[in-house]
Amino acid sequence: MKKSINKNELITAKLTGFSKKTALTFIGLLSLTAIGFLGSQLATSQFVSANDASLSAAQQQEVKAIVKEMLINDPELLKEAFIALQTREMMQQQAGVEQIIAANQQALFATPTDPWKGAENGDITMVYFTDFNCPYCKQLEPELDKLMAAFPQLKIIIKMVPLQGQSAVDAVDFAQTVWLNEPEKYLKVKDTLMSAPRRLDSQAIAKVASMTGTTQWLNNTDSRVADAVSDNLDLMRTLRIGGTPSMVIGDQIIAGLVPFEQLKQQVELALEAQNGKK
């Protein structure tokens, strides 16, 4: 029976003659590379030399041989390396998201043309990107109402974006105009538009206007709406948000139709982080 090789003993015994730190780095890199090269070769000499010119050709070959033997005798190394890579990438992505959110505080949280609901001067603010024709946005609306009930100190800023057809454009033009001119009627307009079980059309939008006493704003779009919508779309692109519904809570972006418990957890974490800064 072939004796199992302890990876630490192997490193100590065989990597004499060049930097242990360098060797360990190569072992990690080559282990990651092996994920994509199993079935062919472990790694190319070009990969090795590109990553550390301090190793001689013989040392590069020795490292590759050691790593190959380690992977054969301890396949869990691949799993460990893959998990480490995923963790590092997630941390890098999250750091990037936090920087983007920090750089766009004004656009996110202090745009005067944005409608909102909940606490006017809330302790915590969520930004919500939504489309009136988005079926997932329609399903999320009750969860947001539950969230406001659970957190009376929550303010939700609504950024309407027309991504799904001309009727979405017409609905946003109408609803945004109502907000800018009769803000007290906006939430009824928004909720009624969102309650439509299917995609909106001109007749459905006109019916909502009649029900909410806002027919004067049909086909009478406020001149400020075009810039507001354009800014919302630009902000989505800046934040690398690809669709609706999407939310910004604290320094996190939450994309898609997520359950109430996940939203609740994110608000709690944002409140804890905010309170920790005081």
Side-chain angles (χ1 to χ4, degrees):
M1 180 180 295
K2 188 172 182 178
K3 182 181 178 182
S4 132
I5 298 175
N6 180 286
K7 57 187 175 184
N8 292 323
E9 292 176 355
L10 193 74
I11 292 167
T12 303
K14 292 193 175 183
L15 298 184
T16 307
F18 53 91
S19 164
K20 184 176 180 181
K21 181 178 179 181
T22 298
L24 289 172
T25 299
F26 270 92
I27 287 170
L29 289 170
L30 291 172
S31 296
L32 292 174
T33 304
I35 295 171
F37 282 79
L38 289 178
S40 58
Q41 59 182 16
L42 184 65
T44 66
S45 59
Q46 181 180 5
F47 172 83
V48 174
S49 61
N51 282 278
D52 197 313
S54 66
L55 295 182
S56 68
Q59 288 172 330
Q60 291 172 14
Q61 291 302 317
E62 185 179 359
V63 170
K64 287 193 290 183
I66 292 169
V67 172
K68 183 176 181 180
E69 190 173 359
M70 288 172 63
L71 293 174
I72 290 171
N73 288 278
D74 191 357
E76 284 294 308
L77 279 174
L78 282 178
K79 181 178 178 181
E80 293 171 12
F82 186 67
I83 291 171
L85 177 63
Q86 283 186 314
T87 301
R88 184 179 66 181
E89 288 181 343
M90 287 175 62
M91 290 176 66
Q92 290 173 341
Q93 290 172 0
Q94 181 55 37
V97 167
E98 291 173 5
Q99 290 172 359
I100 293 171
I101 291 174
N104 289 275
Q105 292 287 296
Q106 178 72 27
L108 280 165
F109 302 108
T111 300
T113 53
D114 283 341
W116 56 270
K117 61 181 180 178
E120 182 172 4
N121 298 302
D123 295 334
I124 188 73
T125 301
M126 170 198 293
V127 176
Y128 171 42
F129 291 89
T130 185
D131 182 323
F132 286 114
N133 274 340
C134 168
Y136 303 113
C137 298
K138 294 176 185 291
Q139 294 178 56
L140 186 66
E141 289 287 324
E143 305 305 303
L144 297 182
D145 290 339
K146 286 171 59 179
L147 199 64
M148 289 192 301
F151 298 95
Q153 71 274 47
L154 174 66
K155 178 179 183 178
I156 299 179
I157 292 174
I158 303 163
K159 290 187 178 288
M160 297 175 288
V161 287
L163 303 178
Q164 300 198 27
Q166 183 58 45
S167 62
V169 174
D170 296 339
V172 170
D173 286 350
F174 167 57
Q176 187 77 49
T177 297
V178 171
W179 167 256
L180 293 171
N181 293 275
E182 292 187 281
E184 70 280 3
K185 296 181 179 181
Y186 168 77
L187 286 180
K188 182 65 174 176
V189 167
K190 182 194 75 67
D191 291 345
T192 309
L193 287 170
M194 274 295 182
S195 68
R198 292 176 292 278
R199 290 174 69 92
L200 295 167
D201 56 27
S202 58
Q203 290 183 331
I205 296 171
K207 183 177 180 180
V208 171
S210 178
M211 292 171 60
T212 57
T214 54
T215 53
Q216 69 270 34
W217 305 118
L218 281 174
N219 304 312
N220 186 21
T221 304
D222 191 290
S223 61
R224 294 169 287 178
V225 169
D227 285 343
V229 173
S230 178
D231 289 346
N232 288 345
L233 292 170
D234 286 344
L235 186 58
M236 284 186 72
R237 285 188 283 269
T238 299
L239 296 170
R240 302 168 189 168
I241 292 174
T244 58
S246 291
M247 292 140 285
V248 178
I249 307 175
D251 58 7
Q252 301 281 325
I253 295 175
I254 314 298
L257 177 61
V258 296
F260 169 76
E261 287 302 322
Q262 184 175 340
L263 293 173
K264 180 174 179 286
Q265 181 183 44
Q266 290 299 327
V267 172
E268 289 172 342
L269 290 172
L271 281 168
E272 288 177 11
Q274 188 167 290
N275 291 335
K277 294 176 182 178
K278 292 181 179 179

